[in-house]
């Protein structure tokens, strides 16, 4: 999978563009680490890739197809996104339903997907919590659940927005291993992080800067 | 135009009350024009606010159209044989509803031209306890938070590969009801955190609060208050005589 950003410009007001002529290519099998000062537009950039926001000029191309022709749902079939605050991406009444609800909606909940959901719950250490209310979990558990909702699908590219902000050392280790495994299996990862300790745990990431260097 | 928050609150109450008690489309149109003029004079940026109220406006239009089609009476305007689709009574009823709601929205927009601090001070001057005034102010500021909570969850669903645009109406309603519960829970959790934050900053630590800036009604405010009360009272009396009151 290849995500290309060509001359992307975006600003929340017309006077000051937040992202100005940004060019970059993300490929499968690689881990990228995007850095930049607070408020320089890192999260905004990821929202542009996912088409939650629309670039004012320039183009974003996923596998040779301009995302202008794609819906958020279509992009998300291949690109997973972990929110800066994972709590905001949880909405189901139980942990298990958090994973099964989109399958139910799309009418793709089969015996096979049920097995996959159980496997994913086990992989993320959530089996014992499967009947719990997601919003009452701890910060680390919420993040593991948000990641599980991504990994339960067959995604090819993963975007993580400040993933280490609410987890302990053990959680960081788990997350860095998860990223390494995903990259080894051919997936691409874009990590936004200020946490040097966490970035040091990543396996040889390609460093990118947005805006002026710190 | 710099106006005291109490004057604005009086304008809001008078315009909203007139909108509720008036039943004739002509009088409602006059009140609508006055509400729009008041907003213009106070410098409310209506154009900037309108896109944020898209959903509410579409609901008003939907209900108005539904009323136009369902209320029968008067001269038939669109009909096939004996079946009347649109009549003058239905059209007037729908129009009155749309105007009434628009006036209520325009009146509430008057509050936007005042900062929350000024609004609290205004309410306190009207002898409303500080705690209540503060709560009212926080409630108004919490509406965008609730909207964000809901839209974040909606985005989360889209990011899991579900296309809401392609969903049937029944499914959409099911999803909205499904997303409402976590949005409400999220807002309650946030409000609890906000309460803890306020308490930790010494809210109600002292019995009597003092204010650095004291609100005083100026002669222009007295003029607007007297004019508003006279016009609103006179207009209500005129409508009563003409039989156009609820």
């Amino acid at each position: 999978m290849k995500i290309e950003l060509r001359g992307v410009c975006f600003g929340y007001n017309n006077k000051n563009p937040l992202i100005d002529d940004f060019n970059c290519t993300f490929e499968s099998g690689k881990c990228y680490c995007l850095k930049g000062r607070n408020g320089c537009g890192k999260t905004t950039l990821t929202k542009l890739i996912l088409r939650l926001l629309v670039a004012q000029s320039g183009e974003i191309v996923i596998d040779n197809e301009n995302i202008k022709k794609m819906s958020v749902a279509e992009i998300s079939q291949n690109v997973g996104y972990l929110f800066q605050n994972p709590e905001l991406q949880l909405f189901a009444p139980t942990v298990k339903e958090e994973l099964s609800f989109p399958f139910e909606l799309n009418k793709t909940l089969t015996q096979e997907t049920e097995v996959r959901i159980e496997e994913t719950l086990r992989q993320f250490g959530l089996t014992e919590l499967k009947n719990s209310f997601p919003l009452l979990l701890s910060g680390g558990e919420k993040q593991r659940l948000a990641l599980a909702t991504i990994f339960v699908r067959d995604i090819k590219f993963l975007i993580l927005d400040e993933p280490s902000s609410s987890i302990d050392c053990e959680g960081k280790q788990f997350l860095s291993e998860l990223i390494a495994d995903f990259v080894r299996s051919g997936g691409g990862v874009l990590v936004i992080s200020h946490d040097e300790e966490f970035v040091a745990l990543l396996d040889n990431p390609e460093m990118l800067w947005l805006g002026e260097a710190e | 135009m710099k106006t005291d928050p109490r004057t604005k609150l009086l304008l809001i109450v008078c315009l909203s009350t007139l909108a509720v008690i008036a039943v004739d489309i002509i009088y409602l149109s006059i009140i609508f024009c006055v509400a729009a003029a008041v907003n213009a004079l106070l410098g409310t940026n209506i154009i900037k606010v309108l896109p944020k109220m898209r959903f509410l406006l579409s609901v008003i239009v939907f209900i108005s159209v539904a009323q136009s089609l369902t209320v029968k009476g008067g001269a038939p305007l669109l009909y096939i044989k004996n079946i009347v689709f649109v009549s003058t009574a239905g059209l007037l009823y729908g129009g009155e509803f749309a105007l009434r709601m628009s006036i209520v929205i325009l009146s509430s927009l008057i509050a936007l031209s005042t900062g929350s601090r000024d609004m609290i001070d205004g309410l306190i001057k009207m002898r409303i306890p500080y705690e209540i005034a503060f709560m009212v102010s926080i409630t108004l500021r919490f509406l965008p938070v609730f909207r964000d909570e809901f839209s974040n969850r909606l985005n989360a669903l889209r990011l899991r590969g579900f296309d809401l645009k392609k969903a049937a109406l029944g499914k959409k309603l099911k999803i909205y009801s499904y997303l409402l519960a976590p949005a409400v829970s999220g807002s309650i959790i946030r409000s609890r955190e906000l309460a803890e934050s306020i308490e930790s900053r010494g809210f109600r630590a002292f019995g009597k609060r003092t204010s650095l800036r004291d609100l005083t009604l100026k002669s222009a405010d007295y003029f607007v208050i007297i004019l508003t009360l006279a016009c609103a009272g006179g207009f209500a009396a005129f409508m009563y005589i003409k039989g156009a009151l609820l």
Side-chain angles (χ1 to χ4, degrees):
Chain A
M1 187 176 194
K2 199 173 177 183
I3 301 173
E4 293 166 85
L5 286 84
R6 300 172 189 156
V8 172
C9 294
F10 181 84
Y12 289 99
N13 57 51
N14 294 330
K15 288 174 191 166
N16 304 308
L18 183 63
I19 297 166
D20 195 10
D21 194 21
F22 187 78
N23 294 282
C24 187
T25 302
F26 303 110
E27 289 175 344
S28 290
K30 284 185 180 177
C31 177
Y32 301 87
C33 183
L34 182 65
K35 301 186 92 179
R37 291 174 189 275
N38 285 339
C40 72
K42 301 185 291 297
T43 300
T44 302
L45 188 76
T46 60
K47 286 185 177 174
L48 290 170
I49 295 172
L50 292 156
R51 216 169 175 266
L52 289 173
L53 294 171
V54 179
Q56 280 148 356
S57 63
E59 56 181 8
I60 301 172
V61 178
I62 297 180
D63 286 340
N64 298 320
E65 192 176 353
N66 194 315
I67 64 163
K68 274 183 185 169
K69 296 170 191 163
M70 300 163 88
S71 69
V72 176
E74 280 169 339
I75 295 167
S76 304
Q77 300 290 345
N78 294 316
V79 183
Y81 180 59
L82 180 77
F83 282 34
Q84 199 165 4
N85 178 5
E87 186 177 294
L88 297 175
Q89 66 192 102
L90 306 175
F91 49 76
T94 67
V95 166
K96 192 180 173 187
E97 280 180 74
E98 199 68 64
L99 270 65
S100 64
F101 184 62
F103 291 109
E104 281 175 38
L105 279 179
N106 286 327
K107 292 183 179 165
T108 51
L109 189 63
T110 58
Q111 194 106 37
E112 202 180 306
T113 47
E114 283 274 13
V115 172
R116 190 176 178 143
I117 288 166
E118 290 296 336
E119 268 175 22
T120 312
L121 285 170
R122 204 167 28 251
Q123 186 192 353
F124 287 88
L126 297 164
T127 308
E128 285 178 17
L129 298 166
K130 68 179 179 183
N131 295 318
S132 306
F133 182 47
L135 293 182
L136 294 179
L137 300 178
S138 72
E141 287 165 346
K142 277 178 196 161
Q143 194 193 57
R144 288 212 306 274
L145 175 57
L147 280 166
T149 64
I150 297 167
F151 277 91
V152 77
R153 295 180 288 121
D154 277 320
I155 53 149
K156 292 173 185 159
F157 200 88
L158 177 63
I159 300 172
L160 305 165
D161 193 354
E162 297 285 358
S164 60
S165 56
S166 61
I167 51 173
D168 57 15
C169 291
E170 207 179 314
K172 286 178 191 174
Q173 191 65 44
F174 169 81
L175 190 59
S176 64
E177 283 167 17
L178 188 79
I179 292 170
D181 285 345
F182 185 63
V183 172
R184 268 195 294 274
S185 66
V189 180
L190 170 61
V191 181
I192 296 173
S193 185
H194 283 294
D195 185 349
E196 294 295 342
E197 188 191 348
F198 176 69
V199 174
L201 290 171
L202 299 174
D203 189 14
N204 198 22
E206 197 168 303
M207 304 301 279
L208 302 165
W209 285 95
L210 187 60
E212 289 172 30
E214 279 171 354
Chain B
M1 186 173 152
K2 182 80 181 154
T3 318
D4 190 278
R6 286 165 287 181
T7 314
K8 288 180 187 175
L9 283 168
L10 180 76
L11 281 164
I12 293 169
V13 170
C14 286
L15 286 167
S16 312
T17 310
L18 285 174
V20 173
I21 60 172
V23 287
D24 192 288
I25 198 159
I26 296 165
Y27 299 122
L28 282 166
S29 304
I30 294 168
I31 302 164
F32 176 84
C33 292
V34 172
V38 168
N39 270 291
L41 281 169
L42 292 171
T44 316
N45 196 340
I46 300 172
I47 306 296
K48 201 179 168 186
V49 182
L50 279 180
K52 292 177 184 172
M53 303 178 93
R54 253 193 325 237
F55 180 71
L56 183 64
L57 294 174
S58 56
V59 169
I60 292 170
V61 170
F62 176 77
I63 296 173
S64 304
V65 171
Q67 284 189 331
S68 302
L69 296 173
T70 50
V71 175
K72 306 293 178 209
L77 291 173
L78 188 68
Y79 58 97
I80 299 171
K81 289 183 179 173
N82 287 334
I83 305 164
V84 179
F85 295 104
V86 183
S87 65
T88 47
L91 215 55
L92 281 172
Y93 207 81
E96 280 175 12
F97 174 80
L99 274 172
R100 192 170 286 124
M101 294 309 294
S102 305
I103 296 165
V104 172
I105 291 172
L106 280 175
S107 323
S108 59
L109 289 182
I110 294 172
L112 283 184
S113 59
T114 305
S116 60
R117 186 68 250 175
D118 282 346
M119 200 52 90
I120 293 173
D121 286 345
L123 290 169
I124 293 166
K125 282 278 179 184
M126 292 164 83
R127 300 194 186 282
I128 288 168
Y130 176 73
E131 287 80 1
I132 306 278
F134 190 77
M135 271 193 278
V136 170
S137 159
I138 291 286
T139 308
L140 292 172
R141 301 287 151 187
F142 230 75
L143 290 175
V145 173
F146 184 72
R147 188 195 59 203
D148 288 348
E149 283 277 345
F150 194 79
S151 68
N152 274 323
R153 257 101 193 175
L154 210 57
N155 279 339
L157 188 66
R158 292 161 75 201
L159 289 170
R160 287 195 212 168
F162 184 75
D163 200 343
L164 204 68
K165 280 181 187 165
K166 287 179 186 169
L169 184 66
K171 206 175 221 180
K172 265 185 195 169
L173 289 173
K174 189 186 167 192
I175 292 163
Y176 285 135
S177 64
Y178 207 89
L179 297 182
L180 200 63
V184 171
S185 323
S187 301
I188 291 170
I189 291 168
R190 272 180 192 235
S191 65
R192 196 176 57 199
E193 286 168 356
L194 180 69
E196 285 166 1
S197 160
I198 293 168
E199 293 281 349
S200 70
R201 285 155 69 178
F203 186 71
R204 289 162 63 184
F206 303 101
K208 186 168 165 48
R209 285 181 61 88
T210 53
S211 185
L212 180 67
R213 197 164 49 88
D214 197 31
L215 280 181
T216 45
L217 286 168
K218 297 185 185 80
S219 49
D221 288 305
Y222 283 112
F223 175 72
V224 175
I225 287 170
I226 293 164
L227 188 71
T228 305
L229 287 172
C231 289
F235 198 65
F238 182 73
M239 285 193 295
Y240 177 73
I241 294 162
K242 292 283 179 185
L245 269 189
L246 194 68

